């Protein structure tokens, strides 16, 4: 961890961010989150970031800035968890979980 990351963690902790429960059922703190330069997004890391935002450990804006995510990318992780649990975060399963055109038309009309 570099000095900038340490400062960011300290600022977030001082702002009153507490401990939330992570995807593995254990307490999750800012220090437990993936490093800001994460390039390989495995299921657990995505789920930790979603849990941190949901639990108030990070704001959506802070998470997107810290991890260079778009809001839509983050929201897609959140929707995948809501709809399919952790397996929905598998990159190889996105196609499988994506609604078919018939399912989409039923939900919109």
């Amino acid at each position: 961890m570099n000095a900038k990351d340490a400062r960011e963690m300290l600022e977030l902790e001082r702002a009153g961010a507490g401990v939330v429960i992570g995807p593995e059922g254990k307490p999750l703190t800012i220090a437990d989150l993936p490093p800001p330069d994460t390039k390989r997004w495995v299921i657990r890391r995505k789920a930790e970031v979603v849990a941190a935002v949901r639990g108030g450990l990070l704001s959506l804006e802070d998470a997107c800035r810290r991890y260079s995510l778009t809001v839509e990318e983050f929201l897609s992780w959140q929707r995948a968890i809501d709809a399919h649990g952790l397996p929905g975060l598998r990159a190889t399963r996105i196609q499988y979980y994506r609604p078919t055109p018939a399912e989409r038309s039923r939900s919109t009309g």
Side-chain angles (χ1 to χ4, degrees):
M1 175 184 318
N2 64 36
K4 181 181 175 198
D5 294 340
R7 278 193 307 275
E8 285 178 4
M9 280 183 12
L10 188 58
E11 286 173 21
L12 289 168
E13 287 173 357
R14 282 185 186 151
V19 177
V20 300
I21 302 302
E24 296 176 340
K26 298 176 184 172
L28 183 68
T29 66
I30 293 288
D32 300 319
L33 293 176
D37 61 348
T38 296
K39 299 289 185 247
R40 187 165 178 264
W41 284 100
V42 296
I43 292 170
R44 179 185 49 80
R45 290 179 184 148
K46 292 176 185 179
E48 286 172 345
V49 173
V50 170
V53 171
R54 285 185 168 170
L57 207 53
L58 284 176
S59 71
L60 173 60
E61 295 79 18
D62 289 338
C64 290
R65 186 176 29 248
R66 179 179 170 113
Y67 297 110
S68 299
L69 302 172
T70 64
V71 171
E72 182 54 39
E73 185 174 19
F74 174 84
L75 294 176
S76 74
W77 294 355
Q78 195 165 265
R79 283 191 301 269
I81 290 173
D82 291 344
H84 307 288
L86 295 181
L89 291 173
R90 279 193 196 113
T92 57
R93 302 304 271 174
I94 290 172
Q95 204 80 43
Y96 178 79
Y97 292 126
R98 197 172 277 157
T100 65
E103 291 170 328
R104 280 194 297 270
S105 67
R106 273 185 267 152
S107 67
T108 60

